[in-house]
Amino acid sequence: MVFESFPTAAAVVLGATFVLAFILGAVANKANFCTMGAVSDWVNMGDLGRMRAWILAIAVAMLGVVVFESMGLVDADGAFPPYRMANFNWIAHALGGFMFGIGMTFGSGCGSKTLIRVGGGNIKSLMVMLVIAVIAFWLTTRQPVFGTGETLYQLMFGWTNQLSITMSGGQDLGSIVASGEAAVWARLIIGLVLGLLLLYWVFKAADFRSSFDNILGGLVVGLVVIGAWYVTSSVQVTDGMDTYEMRAYIQDWDFLADDPEGRPAEAMPWSSQSFTFINPMGQSLRYVMAGFDNSVLFFGVISLVGVILGSLFWALVSKRFRIEWFASFRDFVNHFIGAVLMGVGGVLAMGCTVGQAITGTSTLALGGFLTFATIVLGAALTMKVQYYKMVYEDEATFLKALVTGLVDLKLLPGSMRKLEAV
């Protein structure tokens, strides 16, 4: 899709983004698509229904991206954020994912679920969203702080770069096994094999095959992730002779545009991308603080608004809209802690249960897989500790509950169990 003016191209990208986000919000609300719920169902009841829905979304997005990329319709190499960058900061992904998993357990849901709950009238989730927005804004701002010449993120987490691994190419599975043009075909083969294996695992369960909502949720989430990748990769601008990707046009604005009016504040947020929800909360706060200046109106801002309104639409249609407030001061504290952990963890891991576990893994990036695994670990372990503390009360110290939880998750030998299984 080639347009003769940047404003027209931008309007198409943002308009399509809103439609996709609206669908995502409405369907996720309708189908109760919830990644924290998926972990909770598995840990507490042994029910893998919603976990299979999450994996279905991952499989669909992965298959779509590798196929479209092989056809030249999606550019995941130049994505924002840079999922495939050569610097594999494994400690940031592991630590950030683990923090996020703990946080979404305390905060009653991940980033996307927070937005869905806001659309449904949940004031608790509105507070969580605002706290995450503040943290994401300050951690992603590029302005030096405290007169140090470094950003807040560099001050807090710059040390993680010392432990990172630098790949010869990108960190995606295709670039690890091949290079150049061959990497595209390696991604296609690996993505098809892995995606089909995931689909087999998902649909081999008869109870899942009979669950309309789980299938609908996983399928639609995966498809809108593909849709966003396609839209942001395919819209281009022409100067009458050559065509430019949105980011490239902004970077060469002084040479291509007639005047500076309408120029975005940054080029990177106009790169190819798909849904993620932690950084967009920070972007949305920036947009509000800038007085709704369109120069900072990016994909992430529109996606956040679209998901909330889509969820609101379904909540009203289904008559499920209701205002929900904190049950107690402790409930407030738990949600506040959860929001802080999700904000810090989501920025550190460069994404959330959607941004990394679905969008990130669709690029076959190692960071996506590692973040997904540690989010699940952090959430599952937190739920185990909470469960044993509730059942055994004073007898279950934090250490006893933690060790027993690790035993339950098969991460420690059974001989180390401190509390009887219940």
Side-chain angles (χ1 to χ4, degrees):
M1 295 180 284
V2 181
F3 299 91
E4 294 182 355
S5 73
F6 181 85
T8 302
V12 170
V13 170
L14 297 180
T17 298
F18 177 80
V19 171
L20 291 169
F22 188 92
I23 293 171
L24 174 58
V27 172
N29 190 327
K30 192 268 180 213
N32 195 23
F33 184 89
C34 176
T35 52
M36 190 204 76
V39 180
S40 177
D41 290 351
W42 165 55
V43 170
N44 296 321
M45 297 179 289
D47 182 355
L48 288 170
R50 286 197 285 182
M51 181 64 75
R52 292 182 193 275
W54 190 8
I55 301 299
L56 173 59
I58 293 172
V60 170
M62 184 183 298
L63 289 168
V65 168
V66 296
V67 170
F68 276 26
E69 194 170 22
S70 70
M71 299 168 64
L73 300 176
V74 163
D75 174 24
D77 280 340
F80 175 77
Y83 294 109
R84 291 176 174 170
M85 61 181 173
N87 182 47
F88 176 40
N89 194 338
W90 63 271
I91 188 66
H93 289 293
L95 179 59
F98 190 75
M99 291 174 65
F100 190 92
I102 297 172
M104 75 177 190
T105 306
F106 280 98
S108 299
C110 64
S112 59
K113 188 63 175 181
T114 294
L115 301 181
I116 292 164
R117 286 162 63 92
V118 169
N122 194 301
I123 307 300
K124 295 193 290 186
S125 292
L126 178 61
M127 183 277 286
V128 170
M129 182 185 75
L130 293 175
V131 172
I132 293 175
V134 171
I135 292 172
F137 173 79
W138 283 109
L139 283 180
T140 57
T141 184
R142 298 180 181 179
Q143 297 300 318
V145 295
F146 308 131
T148 62
E150 294 185 299
T151 65
L152 182 60
Y153 180 90
Q154 289 171 330
L155 287 173
M156 293 178 64
F157 301 112
W159 59 271
T160 63
N161 287 319
Q162 306 301 317
L163 302 172
S164 63
I165 301 171
T166 301
M167 306 289 188
S168 57
Q171 64 173 271
D172 63 283
L173 298 180
S175 296
I176 291 173
V177 301
S179 60
E181 197 66 30
V184 176
W185 299 108
R187 291 175 197 138
L188 178 62
I189 294 171
I190 294 170
L192 287 175
V193 171
L194 185 55
L196 291 174
L197 286 174
L198 292 176
L199 286 181
Y200 169 75
W201 180 80
V202 166
F203 284 104
K204 75 174 184 177
D207 57 342
F208 183 84
R209 295 196 300 270
S210 63
S211 175
F212 175 78
D213 279 352
N214 280 335
I215 294 174
L216 176 68
L219 184 62
V220 170
V221 171
L223 288 175
V224 297
V225 167
I226 298 170
W229 275 120
Y230 173 73
V231 169
T232 58
S233 297
S234 61
V235 172
Q236 298 178 320
V237 186
T238 181
D239 63 351
M241 295 182 293
D242 300 310
T243 58
Y244 302 85
E245 295 178 347
M246 301 283 281
R247 181 179 66 182
Y249 189 90
I250 297 168
Q251 290 171 333
D252 291 336
W253 190 279
D254 293 337
F255 301 100
L256 300 173
D258 295 330
D259 56 61
E261 184 179 356
R263 180 175 185 170
E266 296 178 43
M268 280 300 294
W270 288 95
S271 305
S272 58
Q273 59 194 291
S274 192
F275 291 103
T276 185
F277 294 108
I278 301 303
N279 187 45
M281 293 184 192
Q283 287 182 339
S284 299
L285 178 60
R286 178 186 181 187
Y287 179 59
V288 173
M289 292 173 63
F292 303 99
D293 183 353
N294 286 341
S295 69
V296 291
L297 179 59
F298 302 129
F299 173 98
V301 179
I302 296 298
S303 65
L304 181 142
V305 173
V307 169
I308 292 176
L309 292 181
S311 176
L312 172 62
F313 168 78
W314 183 257
L316 294 175
V317 167
S318 62
K319 299 180 180 179
R320 288 162 51 183
F321 181 89
R322 66 186 182 92
I323 302 297
E324 184 177 346
W325 185 242
F326 298 101
S328 63
F329 180 71
R330 182 175 181 178
D331 189 31
F332 168 82
V333 171
N334 284 340
H335 280 79
F336 183 82
I337 292 172
V340 172
L341 290 171
M342 280 195 286
V344 176
V347 172
L348 186 56
M350 221 166 58
C352 54
T353 54
V354 172
Q356 277 289 14
I358 301 177
T359 299
T361 58
S362 73
T363 70
L364 301 180
L366 292 180
F369 293 107
L370 180 55
T371 301
F372 170 53
T374 52
I375 286 175
V376 172
L377 175 61
L381 190 55
T382 302
M383 292 172 191
K384 285 289 185 181
V385 171
Q386 289 176 332
Y387 181 69
Y388 281 110
K389 290 283 288 181
M390 178 185 68
V391 171
Y392 285 97
E393 298 181 342
D394 294 339
E395 181 186 347
T397 63
F398 173 77
L399 183 58
K400 287 183 178 179
L402 176 63
V403 171
T404 304
L406 289 169
V407 171
D408 285 352
L409 295 174
K410 313 297 184 185
L411 297 175
L412 288 177
S415 59
M416 295 184 66
R417 177 178 293 277
K418 302 298 181 181
L419 300 166
E420 289 298 322
V422 290

